[in-house]
Amino acid sequence: MNIVILLGAPGSGKGTIADRIAAGDTASFKHVSSGDLLRGAVAKGTPAGVEAKGYMEKGELVPDTLIARMITDVIAETHGDLTMLLDGFPRNVAQAEILDKLGVPVKSAVLVDVPDEIIADRIAGRRVCPKCKAGYHVKALPPKVEGVCDKCGGELVIRKDDNPETVKDRLAVYHRETEPLVAYYEEKGLLRKIDGDQGPDRNAAAFKAAM
Ligand code: AMP
């Protein structure tokens, strides 16, 4: 197994890109979203979920050890010759160092570049399926039937932390905590960059070519 890291602000389209690539070739790719893992734990009410909930609602990062443990578990239970598309982890330099210590080769870290001005608009239109985790956008990527998931028929919802106030905080956290990873992976010669404002199909194609 090896790892490709998706870097980018909240709302940059990392999840949509990873979903498309993984759905197109399930034998070669596995999409792992730290946010989905955490939301799953919150929904189930596990001890980790109970601890994470407050941080997530405020748009803050959950403690490194909490999310690192979840990612370590997923990596440990993943076998075979595939590429893990790691979406949302690492989120700061300390987490990147934890990942390095796990010893799984990182093939590349691809920055999905979208200006902050566009992000707010994107997140305002974002809808997700709580059942199967599929992501939509009311304008850019609408479901066939409004409010209903194409894949599983689930009822689409707005994420709690997608309100404009929390989005501002999440963007600030991104610039302060996560953006230093660009230099971190650049120094290792692993950084790639794509324009994340080309529409879902072309974004995914550009990512696949860059990774
Ligand atoms: P996301 O779905 O990636 O936007 O993540 C949603 C929320 O989960 C974030 O705002 C954080 O509160 C939390 N989260 C996700 N990934 C991480 C991580 N690697 N480290 C810390 N907190 C995280």
Side-chain angles (χ1 to χ4, degrees), residues 2 15 20 25 63 79 102 111 136 152 176 185 187 202:
N2 63 17
R20 287 191 171 219
D25 185 352
H79 307 287
L102 294 180
L111 174 65
Y136 297 89
C152 78
R176 190 177 66 235
Y185 287 110
E187 269 165 34
R202 290 175 63 196

Side-chain angles (χ1 to χ4, degrees), residues 8-11 14 33-39 52-64 66-68 71 87-92 95 126 159 161-162 166 170 173:
K14 302 187 297 293
S33 154
S34 56
D36 282 347
L37 291 175
L38 286 162
R39 281 183 287 277
K53 191 167 188 258
Y55 295 99
M56 294 172 75
E57 283 177 358
K58 282 185 264 177
E60 292 170 6
L61 296 185
V62 308
D64 294 336
L66 191 162
I67 184 63
I71 297 291
D87 159 17
F89 184 93
R91 208 64 157 234
N92 58 28
Q95 293 179 9
R126 180 148 82 170
R159 268 171 55 174
D161 58 350
D162 274 354
T166 312
R170 287 165 62 206
V173 168

Side-chain angles (χ1 to χ4, degrees), residues 11-13 17 111-114 122 194-199 203:
S12 59
I17 290 171
L111 174 65
V112 181
D113 191 30
V114 178
R122 284 222 190 156
I194 64 154
D195 169 10
D197 195 24
Q198 314 177 59
N203 286 349

Side-chain angles (χ1 to χ4, degrees), residues 5-201:
I5 295 166
L6 292 102
L7 285 178
S12 59
K14 302 187 297 293
T16 305
I17 290 171
D19 262 351
R20 287 191 171 219
I21 295 175
D25 185 352
T26 50
S28 310
F29 298 102
K30 175 172 175 169
H31 175 197
V32 174
S33 154
S34 56
D36 282 347
L37 291 175
L38 286 162
R39 281 183 287 277
V42 171
K44 279 198 203 128
T46 66
V50 171
E51 191 184 346
K53 191 167 188 258
Y55 295 99
M56 294 172 75
E57 283 177 358
K58 282 185 264 177
E60 292 170 6
L61 296 185
V62 308
D64 294 336
T65 47
L66 191 162
I67 184 63
R69 210 173 304 135
M70 286 182 163
I71 297 291
T72 305
D73 287 349
V74 175
I75 289 176
E77 71 201 20
T78 304
H79 307 287
D81 183 20
L82 51 76
T83 295
M84 182 177 287
L85 301 170
L86 204 44
D87 159 17
F89 184 93
R91 208 64 157 234
N92 58 28
V93 170
Q95 293 179 9
E97 288 169 352
I98 294 173
L99 180 62
D100 287 344
K101 289 206 185 91
L102 294 180
V104 183
V106 174
K107 185 170 169 247
S108 57
V110 185
L111 174 65
V112 181
D113 191 30
V114 178
D116 278 8
E117 305 83 76
I118 297 177
I119 294 281
D121 231 32
R122 284 222 190 156
I123 292 188
R126 180 148 82 170
R127 301 291 182 270
V128 291
C129 175
K131 271 183 27 202
C132 79
K133 317 294 173 225
Y136 297 89
H137 187 279
V138 290
K139 280 187 236 147
L141 193 60
K144 292 195 183 90
V145 179
E146 195 186 322
V148 180
C149 179
D150 291 349
K151 293 183 185 151
C152 78
E155 190 183 333
L156 303 182
V157 299
I158 299 175
R159 268 171 55 174
K160 252 194 191 150
D161 58 350
D162 274 354
N163 69 78
E165 270 314 302
T166 312
V167 168
K168 242 187 248 163
D169 294 338
R170 287 165 62 206
L171 273 174
V173 168
Y174 171 74
H175 289 301
R176 190 177 66 235
E177 304 269 340
T178 310
E179 222 161 45
L181 290 178
V182 172
Y184 183 89
Y185 287 110
E186 195 155 41
E187 269 165 34
K188 293 179 183 288
L190 296 175
L191 188 77
R192 318 280 181 265
K193 186 170 160 181
I194 64 154
D195 169 10
D197 195 24
Q198 314 177 59
D201 288 335

